[in-house]
């Protein structure tokens, strides 16, 4: 890779810097550099051609370097991207890192060192990306190989923390592989099995050798291989365990041992009967052959396929399963090997699904011989995510299938019996559970009295109140129990209530209890008779509900409402209005009078929409009120422009609340915060920030670019070159110096915008001043501007006229005539500025007002728009075809006037009135 030239795309809006940068990079590094003057052009080149890396400036018109980086990451992935710019702000670096920039190189300094660093970063970024791709591919292959085996594989460190597992290991614990990463083995294994494993790990640490051992995991026998993993210093850092289920093998061994025991027990009988002995020996031999067959064929068949479903690799065990030598499989499909059509269809479909979806496939099927096979297909992907191989593993699961069927039948039988027992138990416990829930677990104080008023039962809540002593109340008159020891009046009232309840009456009142700790409780007390089926009282039921906290809350709510009322009355900028769903005003806060101009007497009873909602917003507000009525939820808070009594608009931040009165009727409240002062401050801050940001952009980016061009050109001239090349470099240097001078002049002018107060200025006099400029002496002027027209504008408005004329000469190509006149559009006076030059293309009509756009400095027209905007005057280009440029400057009705000497005659606002 190092011997091959890297193909690099270099993007910058400074064409001189592009040319010099290309020369430097191709001289200093083994690079081939293509250049693009904009991000849009760079994206076109990337669509048509591939590159090893991209170098881009940050600040460019249209789409900047961060936006280009975002597009590249979305469309072209992780191609190396270096941001090469004069902007050093922290937020730019943060944004670049967020979207995945590889390196950030700042312009400035000695050119050779600067471009040498840039070339070094390019080569380093390319090497790093290639290494990352290779690593990802290696990891994917390793993962595929791990998942291809049906053996459980786990990697853990010396603290027994899991680092990696394969699918088989995860399924053994009914988990996903990613869920197990970071878990400790102690969370999966029993304490005894964990100690056993820890001892084995210590043995491996001591011997530094592979350890093979068996273990019993809840009736499942496992054959394990424990491998130590060493670091570069030879220290053991982690361990890998390959674990195979040998439960069936153990069962076969046990059966064989039992067979041997039976043979030993029947030895005398075998001696007496030779034929029987012969049969027994044959059975033993058959058993040994079955065991040997099971042991010899307990491995998996492993194969690797290409996308054409041809075998690339087959392990030697396949010969014993199919009778076909492993080498005969290579390069052939199942059909070419003569497999039965029904098996070929299963094999091919499963393989194709893996290649097409990129997902692991697993299928179980039965061979014509009756053997069940578990076939696992794992796709292998390259770094682009394309499947280029599939690894398969086949295992005999006939015994497992038979066991699953038997277990399922047994489970269904047990489940049916368990459901029947559960239903019987629920019916048995239902009545007692209901009674205990209603009586003992209720928070209310409940008891039962006989008709003489003696206590025969009390629930836990009632007993807890008096200390839990049941003997202190049972068989005693209710009015003499500790519940009523607080005062004599309560005892007399309870005695009377018992007598009245005995006669069938229900009595309810508030009473006082004193608990065992001396705390006083207010209760809602009810006493009523318990009737038999004939309606005759057979007992008396007293009950009470503790409402102490409720009483406290009522008092707290009262004081909270008083505090809230006082708080609202003392918030100067918060206006509150209450109104019904039909818009009728029900509440009018003092601040609302100050904000909107209506007194409380004027507002109450009137429709709120007629008071403060502008006509153009009323339908929208009615719809919002309907939504609040339907949903019961207030509309989201928002910044609105509402209406004062005098018709003027006032900016507010408005939020809503919905309350329901005691009659169940909804009442709406709007809370409006006066934003007028905040708006004025924000407008001033935005204007200041805009100016600061623009000046910072020019000084740090544009001037820095020109300095880089200067230094690079001088360096190349000092280090050889023909006279023709040096002459071209000298022109480039002179152009850069001129641009720097223009930028510095612009910053002086821009700093003055908005510094002085706007003032009334005579338009005709402004134009006459510009017409006298020597640069414009050869132009023909047609000026149809009234001599008494004045506009209210920034003192720098003369620059607007100057810039428009200068722009016409520079870019109009054939301009000979300038025409300036006025027209009316509604109440606005429109100043029209036309030339007879080449005109402005449709897609550039708005771009010409962007800072830095164009072939010169690109500052004149944006500066003009900024100057006019100080007093809300706008400007746009509306010319058609190649008939010349045509600028339209609408002046609001309150920003122009016609004067006669010292007297103001009229303006169009006055005429409209």
């Amino acid at each position: 890779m190092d011997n091959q030239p890297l193909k690099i795309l270099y993007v910058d809006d400074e064409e001189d810097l592009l040319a010099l940068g290309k020369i430097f990079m191709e001289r200093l590094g083994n690079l081939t550099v293509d250049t693009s003057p904009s991000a849009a052009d760079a994206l076109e080149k990337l669509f048509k051609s591939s590159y090893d890396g991209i170098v881009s400036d940050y600040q460019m018109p249209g789409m900047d370097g961060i936006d280009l980086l975002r597009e590249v990451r979305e469309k072209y992935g992780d191609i190396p991207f270096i941001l090469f710019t004069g902007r050093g702000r922290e937020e730019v670096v943060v944004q670049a890192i967020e979207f995945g920039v590889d390196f950030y190189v700042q312009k400035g300094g000695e050119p050779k060192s600067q471009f040498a660093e840039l070339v070094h970063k390019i080569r380093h970024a390319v090497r790093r990306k290639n290494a990352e791709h290779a690593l990802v591919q290696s990891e994917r292959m390793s993962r595929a190989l791990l998942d291809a085996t049906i053996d459980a594989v786990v990697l853990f460190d010396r603290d027994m923390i899991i680092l990696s597992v394969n699918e088989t290991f995860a399924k053994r614990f009914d988990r996903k592989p990613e869920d197990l990463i970071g878990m400790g083995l102690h969370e999966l294994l029993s304490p005894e099995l964990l100690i056993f494993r820890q001892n084995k790990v210590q043995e491996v640490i001591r011997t530094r050798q592979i350890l093979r051992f068996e273990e019993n995991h809840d009736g499942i026998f496992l054959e394990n291989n424990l491998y130590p993993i060493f670091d570069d210093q030879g220290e053991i850092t982690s361990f890998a365990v390959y674990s195979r289920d040998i439960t069936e093998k153990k069962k076969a061994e046990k059966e064989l041992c039992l067979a041997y025991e039976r043979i030993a027990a029947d030895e005398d009988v075998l001696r007496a009967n030779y034929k029987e002995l012969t049969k027994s020996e044959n059975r033993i031999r058959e058993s040994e052959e079955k065991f040997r067959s099971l042991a010899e064929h307990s491995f998996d068949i492993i194969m690797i396929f290409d996308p054409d479903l041809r075998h690339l690799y087959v392990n030697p065990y396949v010969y014993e399963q199919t009778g076909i030598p492993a080498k005969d499989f290579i390069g052939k499909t199942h059909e070419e090997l003569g497999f039965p059509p029904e098996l070929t269809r299963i094999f091919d479909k499963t393989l194709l699904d893996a290649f097409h979806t990129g997902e692991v496939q697993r299928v179980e099927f039965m061979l014509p011989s009756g053997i069940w096979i578990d076939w696992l297909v794992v796709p292998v992907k390259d770094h682009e995510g394309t499947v280029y191989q599939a690894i398969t593993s086949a295992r005999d699961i006939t015994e497992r299938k038979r066991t699953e069927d038997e277990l399922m039948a047994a489970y269904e039988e047990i489940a049916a019996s368990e459901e029947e027992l559960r239903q019987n138990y629920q019916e048995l416990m239902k009545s007692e559970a209901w009674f205990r829930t209603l009586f003992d677990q209720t928070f209310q104080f409940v008891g039962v009295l006989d008709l003489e008023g003696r206590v025969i039962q009390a629930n836990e809540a009632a007993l807890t109140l008096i200390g839990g002593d049941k003997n202190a109340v049972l068989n005693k008159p209710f009015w003499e129990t500790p519940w009523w020891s607080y005062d004599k009046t309560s005892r007399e009232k309870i005695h009377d209530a018992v007598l009245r309840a005995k006669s069938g009456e229900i009595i309810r009142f508030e009473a006082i209890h004193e608990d065992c700790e001396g705390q006083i409780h207010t209760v809602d007390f009810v006493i009523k008779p318990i009737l038999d089926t004939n309606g005759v009282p057979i007992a008396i039921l007293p009950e009470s509900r503790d409402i102490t906290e409720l009483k406290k809350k009522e008092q707290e709510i009262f004081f909270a409402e008083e505090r809230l009322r006082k708080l609202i009355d003392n918030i100067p900028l918060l206006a509150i209005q209450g109104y019904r769903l039909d818009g009728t005003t029900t509440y009018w806060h003092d601040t609302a009078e100050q904000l909107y101009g209506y007194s409380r007497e004027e507002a109450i009873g009137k429709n709120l929409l007629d008071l403060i909602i502008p006509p153009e917003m009323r339908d929208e507000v009615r719809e919002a009120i309907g939504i609040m009525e339907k949903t019961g939820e207030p509309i989201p808070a928002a910044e609105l422009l509402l209406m004062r009594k005098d018709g003027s608009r006032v900016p507010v931040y408005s939020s809503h609340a919905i309350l329901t009165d005691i009659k169940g009727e909804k009442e709406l409240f709007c809370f409006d915060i006066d934003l007028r002062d905040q708006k004025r401050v924000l407008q001033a801050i935005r204007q200041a920030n805009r100016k600061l940001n623009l000046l910072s952009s020019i000084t740090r980016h544009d001037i820095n670019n020109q300095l880089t061009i200067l230094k690079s050109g001088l360096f190349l001239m000092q280090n050889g070159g023909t006279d023709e090349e040096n002459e071209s470099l000298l022109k480039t240097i002179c152009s850069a110096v001129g641009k720097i001078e223009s930028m510095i002049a612009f910053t002086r002018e821009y700093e003055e915008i908005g510094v002085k107060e706007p003032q009334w200025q005579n338009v005709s006099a402004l134009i006459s001043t510009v017409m006298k400029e020597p640069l414009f002496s050869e132009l023909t002027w047609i000026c149809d501007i009234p001599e008494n027209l004045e506009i209210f504008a920034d003192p720098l408005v003369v620059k607007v006229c100057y810039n428009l004329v200068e722009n016409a000469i520079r870019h109009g190509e054939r301009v000979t005539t300038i025409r300036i006149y006025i027209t009316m559009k509604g109440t606005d006076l429109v100043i029209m500025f036309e030339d007879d030059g080449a005109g402005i293309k449709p897609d550039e009509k708005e771009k010409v007002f962007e800072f830095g756009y164009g072939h010169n400095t690109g500052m004149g027209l944006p500066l003009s728009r900024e100057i006019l905007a100080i007093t809300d005057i706008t400007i746009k280009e509306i010319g058609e075809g190649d008939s010349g440029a045509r600028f339209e400057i609408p002046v609001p009705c309150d920003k122009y006037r016609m004067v006669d000497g010292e007297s103001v005659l009229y303006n169009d606002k006055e005429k409209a009135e």
Side-chain angles (χ1 to χ4, degrees):
M1 182 68 186
D2 289 339
N3 295 326
Q4 296 294 324
L6 297 178
K7 190 176 179 182
I8 302 301
L9 180 61
Y10 179 27
V11 189
D12 200 304
D13 60 322
E14 288 287 351
E15 296 189 6
D16 291 338
L17 189 57
L18 279 179
L20 294 172
K22 173 180 172 68
I23 295 171
F24 265 105
M25 284 189 279
E26 289 183 343
R27 284 187 183 181
L28 294 173
N30 190 16
L31 308 177
T32 299
V33 180
D34 287 349
T35 59
S36 284
S38 67
D41 181 73
L43 290 173
E44 289 183 11
K45 282 186 169 65
L46 285 166
F47 179 75
K48 296 176 182 178
S49 182
S50 61
Y51 291 89
D52 295 306
I54 300 169
V55 176
S56 174
D57 185 23
Y58 165 68
Q59 185 170 329
M60 297 180 288
M63 178 186 291
D64 63 27
I66 298 297
D67 292 332
L68 175 60
L69 172 60
R70 185 188 297 111
E71 287 288 320
V72 168
R73 287 291 175 256
E74 289 178 359
K75 295 180 180 179
Y76 303 102
D78 57 355
I79 179 173
F81 195 106
I82 292 91
L83 204 61
F84 183 48
T85 179
R87 295 296 291 266
R89 294 205 316 265
E90 182 179 348
E91 61 268 25
V92 176
V93 179
V94 171
Q95 272 191 301
I97 294 173
E98 179 183 348
F99 290 109
V101 74
D102 289 271
F103 290 106
Y104 183 97
V105 179
Q106 191 164 348
K107 294 177 182 176
E110 196 273 319
K112 183 177 181 181
S113 300
Q114 175 182 257
F115 281 101
E117 180 189 3
L118 179 61
V119 170
H120 172 71
K121 297 292 189 186
I122 293 169
R123 303 195 68 84
H124 182 66
V126 172
R127 284 195 297 268
R128 185 172 66 185
K129 284 294 184 292
N130 291 338
E132 288 174 357
H133 288 165
L135 179 59
V136 169
Q137 183 63 22
S138 175
E139 289 177 349
R140 286 176 176 165
M141 176 64 80
S142 299
R143 169 56 57 185
L145 289 171
L146 278 177
D147 288 339
T149 178
I150 303 180
D151 287 347
V153 182
V154 57
L155 178 68
F156 56 90
D157 63 17
R158 295 184 68 137
D159 295 324
M160 308 292 278
I161 302 300
I162 295 174
L163 304 176
S164 180
V165 299
N166 69 345
E167 290 282 350
T168 304
F169 183 89
K171 288 180 179 179
R172 182 176 289 178
F173 295 96
D174 195 24
R175 304 283 187 92
K176 294 181 180 179
E178 56 269 22
D179 295 339
L180 294 175
I181 306 303
M183 290 180 63
L185 287 177
H186 65 276
E187 299 178 60
L188 303 175
L189 306 178
S190 65
E192 297 81 5
L193 190 56
L194 179 64
I195 293 173
F196 178 77
R197 283 281 180 95
Q198 289 173 334
N199 291 335
K200 295 299 181 184
V201 168
Q202 291 303 318
E203 185 177 346
V204 170
I205 292 174
R206 186 176 63 258
T207 64
R208 301 170 67 83
Q209 299 293 325
I210 299 171
L211 179 63
R212 293 177 174 83
F213 60 93
E214 295 181 1
E215 61 185 3
N216 184 349
H217 185 55
D218 295 331
I220 298 175
F221 289 90
L222 303 175
E223 182 180 75
N224 301 315
N225 289 315
L226 178 59
Y227 296 86
I229 299 176
F230 301 91
D231 61 13
D232 294 339
Q233 288 74 38
E235 294 296 328
I236 298 176
T237 58
S238 54
F239 306 88
V241 175
Y242 287 75
S243 179
R244 175 166 294 189
D245 188 341
I246 58 170
T247 306
E248 294 300 324
K249 174 183 174 182
K250 286 293 184 181
K251 288 180 180 178
E253 290 176 346
K254 186 175 180 180
E255 290 176 3
L256 183 60
C257 290
L258 291 174
Y260 276 119
E261 290 174 1
R262 288 196 297 271
I263 292 170
D266 297 337
E267 187 175 356
D268 292 339
V269 177
L270 291 172
R271 289 196 190 95
N273 193 329
Y274 180 78
K275 286 186 178 180
E276 193 64 30
L277 178 61
T278 302
K279 292 180 181 179
S280 297
E281 288 177 347
N282 289 337
R283 285 197 297 272
I284 293 171
R285 188 175 298 108
E286 290 173 1
S287 178
E288 289 176 343
E289 289 175 355
K290 288 179 180 178
F291 168 71
R292 187 179 302 109
S293 175
L294 179 63
E296 290 177 356
H297 294 82
S298 62
F299 300 98
D300 302 330
I301 298 177
I302 308 296
M303 298 180 177
I304 300 179
F305 293 86
D306 66 11
D308 295 326
L309 311 189
R310 297 186 180 279
H311 294 76
L312 299 177
Y313 170 79
V314 181
N315 70 342
Y317 184 63
V318 72
Y319 177 74
E320 299 182 31
Q321 286 290 304
T322 64
I324 304 173
K327 63 182 180 62
D328 293 347
F329 279 81
I330 305 304
K332 296 180 180 178
T333 64
H334 286 101
E335 183 178 7
E336 292 170 351
L337 289 166
F339 279 81
E342 60 274 12
L343 284 181
T344 299
R345 282 193 294 271
I346 293 173
F347 291 143
D348 291 356
K349 181 182 182 305
T350 308
L351 285 168
L352 288 172
D353 287 347
F355 276 108
H356 292 163
T357 67
E359 297 177 355
V360 175
Q361 306 293 320
R362 192 166 191 166
V363 63
E364 296 180 356
F365 55 88
M366 188 171 67
L367 298 174
S369 62
I371 295 175
W372 277 91
I373 297 297
D374 180 7
W375 202 44
L376 182 71
V377 180
V378 179
V380 180
K381 304 176 183 178
D382 60 18
H383 69 279
E384 295 178 350
T386 302
V387 180
Y388 68 94
Q389 285 184 0
I391 301 176
T392 69
S393 173
R395 172 169 285 184
D396 185 343
I397 59 169
T398 307
E399 285 300 322
R400 194 193 80 192
K401 280 288 185 181
R402 187 179 297 115
T403 302
E404 287 175 354
D405 293 341
E406 293 173 355
L407 285 175
M408 183 58 70
Y411 174 74
E412 290 174 354
E413 183 177 350
I414 292 170
S417 300
E418 185 183 36
E419 179 63 21
E420 183 178 357
L421 287 172
R422 186 184 63 80
Q423 291 177 355
N424 292 338
Y425 178 75
Q426 287 178 343
E427 292 295 329
L428 180 63
M429 296 300 294
K430 185 177 294 183
S431 57
E432 181 179 355
W434 273 109
F435 174 76
R436 285 301 169 194
T437 300
L438 293 174
F439 191 74
D440 265 340
Q441 296 185 16
T442 180
F443 290 107
Q444 294 190 171
F445 310 151
V446 183
V448 180
L449 314 179
D450 62 17
L451 292 177
E452 300 303 320
R454 289 185 293 268
V455 178
I456 60 177
Q457 186 62 268
N459 74 343
E460 288 294 328
L463 293 173
T464 301
L465 186 70
I466 59 173
D469 188 359
K470 197 171 187 179
N471 294 325
V473 298
L474 288 181
N475 298 318
K476 290 185 178 181
F478 186 44
W479 53 90
E480 295 180 2
T481 60
W483 290 303
W484 311 107
S485 61
Y486 182 63
D487 69 325
K488 183 179 180 180
T489 303
S490 294
R491 291 195 293 272
E492 292 173 352
K493 196 171 184 179
I494 291 299
H495 191 184
D496 178 67
V498 170
L499 295 176
R500 291 166 63 186
K502 179 180 178 180
S503 63
E505 189 177 348
I506 299 175
I507 302 92
R508 181 173 185 173
F509 55 87
E510 287 188 7
I512 301 296
H513 283 322
E514 182 180 15
D515 64 20
C516 59
E517 296 178 353
Q519 300 293 323
I520 303 302
H521 296 260
T522 304
V523 297
D524 180 13
F525 179 78
V526 179
I527 187 168
K528 54 189 174 183
I530 301 174
L531 308 176
D532 63 12
T533 56
N534 296 319
V536 178
I538 58 174
I540 299 172
L541 179 69
E543 56 180 324
S544 60
R545 180 168 60 91
D546 191 339
I547 59 172
T548 306
E549 291 300 321
L550 178 61
K551 289 291 186 180
K552 291 180 181 178
K553 291 295 182 185
E554 288 176 351
Q555 190 174 25
E556 290 173 0
I557 290 172
F558 173 77
F559 286 118
E561 288 177 345
E562 284 297 312
R563 287 196 300 271
L564 179 60
R565 189 173 293 108
K566 292 178 180 178
L567 177 63
I568 290 174
D569 289 342
N570 286 280
I571 300 178
L573 297 179
L574 178 63
I576 304 175
Q577 303 79 241
Y579 59 100
R580 298 289 183 191
L581 290 171
D582 62 358
T584 302
T585 304
T586 59
Y587 177 80
W588 192 259
H589 188 250
D590 291 342
T591 310
E593 180 175 346
Q594 301 170 16
L595 182 61
Y596 295 114
Y598 295 98
S599 67
R600 182 178 285 103
E601 291 74 20
E602 291 176 309
I604 298 298
K606 301 294 194 306
N607 193 295
L608 187 70
L609 278 68
D610 296 333
L611 294 176
I612 66 174
I613 304 300
E616 66 272 13
M617 290 176 56
R618 288 172 186 169
D619 290 341
E620 182 181 351
V621 172
R622 290 189 186 95
E623 182 180 352
I625 293 174
I627 293 173
M628 288 193 286
E629 179 183 11
K630 182 177 180 181
T631 64
E633 296 290 333
I635 59 176
E639 187 175 316
L640 303 175
L641 198 62
L642 300 185
M643 183 172 66
R644 288 175 48 81
K645 182 179 179 179
D646 60 5
S648 63
R649 300 300 192 261
V650 56
V652 299
Y653 185 79
S654 182
S655 57
H656 288 75
I658 304 175
L659 300 179
T660 303
D661 62 18
I662 58 176
K663 297 180 182 179
E665 296 182 0
K666 287 185 172 62
E667 186 173 11
L668 287 69
F669 288 86
C670 57
F671 306 88
D672 297 337
I673 299 175
D674 188 351
L675 299 179
R676 285 176 293 186
D677 290 341
Q678 181 182 352
K679 288 288 184 182
R680 295 187 191 101
V681 173
L682 286 176
Q683 184 176 6
I685 292 173
R686 289 194 189 100
Q687 182 176 342
N689 283 339
R690 184 170 65 250
K691 291 171 68 175
L692 287 173
N693 288 335
L694 181 64
L695 293 175
S696 174
S697 169
I698 294 171
T699 55
R700 291 188 181 181
H701 176 73
D702 296 334
I703 293 180
N704 199 30
N705 272 354
Q706 301 307 318
L707 290 174
T708 301
I709 293 172
L710 282 173
K711 292 178 182 179
S712 301
L714 290 172
F715 178 85
L716 292 173
M717 289 181 69
Q718 291 169 356
N719 287 271
T722 63
D723 292 342
E724 184 179 350
E725 290 174 344
N726 287 340
E727 183 178 354
S728 175
L729 288 171
L730 185 59
K731 289 180 180 179
T732 301
I733 290 170
C734 291
S735 173
V737 171
K739 289 180 180 179
I740 292 174
E741 289 175 343
S742 298
M743 291 172 192
I744 293 173
F746 165 76
T747 60
R748 283 197 301 269
E749 294 174 358
Y750 192 74
E751 284 176 344
E752 294 175 4
I753 296 178
V755 172
K756 297 180 181 179
E757 290 292 329
Q759 58 191 26
W760 290 101
Q761 300 177 69
N762 185 280
V763 178
S764 181
L766 294 174
I767 296 172
S768 296
T769 300
V770 175
M771 291 171 60
K772 295 175 182 178
E773 288 287 332
L775 179 65
F776 309 144
S777 60
E778 297 182 4
L779 293 174
T780 299
W781 292 78
I782 303 175
C783 184
D784 297 326
I785 298 292
E787 292 186 359
N788 60 342
L789 173 63
E790 290 186 353
I791 62 173
F792 189 69
D794 189 275
L796 291 177
V797 70
V798 68
K799 282 289 183 181
V800 176
C801 185
Y802 183 90
N803 289 337
L804 289 173
V805 179
E806 183 185 39
N807 183 75
I809 293 174
R810 286 185 180 274
H811 307 293
E813 298 177 3
R814 56 176 185 271
V815 174
T816 60
T817 302
I818 300 292
R819 182 189 177 201
I820 307 174
Y821 61 97
I822 62 170
T823 183
M824 297 300 299
K825 182 180 289 187
T827 60
D828 289 351
L829 179 143
V830 182
I831 300 174
M832 302 300 299
F833 181 96
E834 298 177 354
D835 66 48
D836 59 351
I840 298 176
K841 297 178 182 178
D843 61 342
E844 294 182 346
K845 290 183 182 296
E846 188 60 30
K847 290 181 179 179
V848 295
F849 293 103
E850 296 177 4
F851 284 103
Y853 186 83
H855 301 297
N856 196 41
T857 62
M859 301 297 179
L861 292 181
L863 182 65
S864 299
R865 177 173 278 185
E866 291 281 336
I867 294 170
L868 294 171
I870 294 294
T871 53
D872 299 324
I873 302 174
T874 59
I875 181 172
K876 62 180 178 179
E877 204 285 327
I878 59 172
E880 298 180 358
D882 57 357
S883 59
R886 188 182 187 199
F887 290 91
E888 179 185 75
I889 307 173
V891 183
C893 60
D894 59 342
K895 299 296 189 300
Y896 72 89
R897 67 186 184 184
M898 300 293 184
V899 298
D900 183 12
E902 298 297 324
S903 302
V904 179
L905 297 181
Y906 70 88
N907 64 22
D908 281 84
K909 181 179 181 181
E910 294 168 346
K911 289 200 297 183
E913 291 173 350

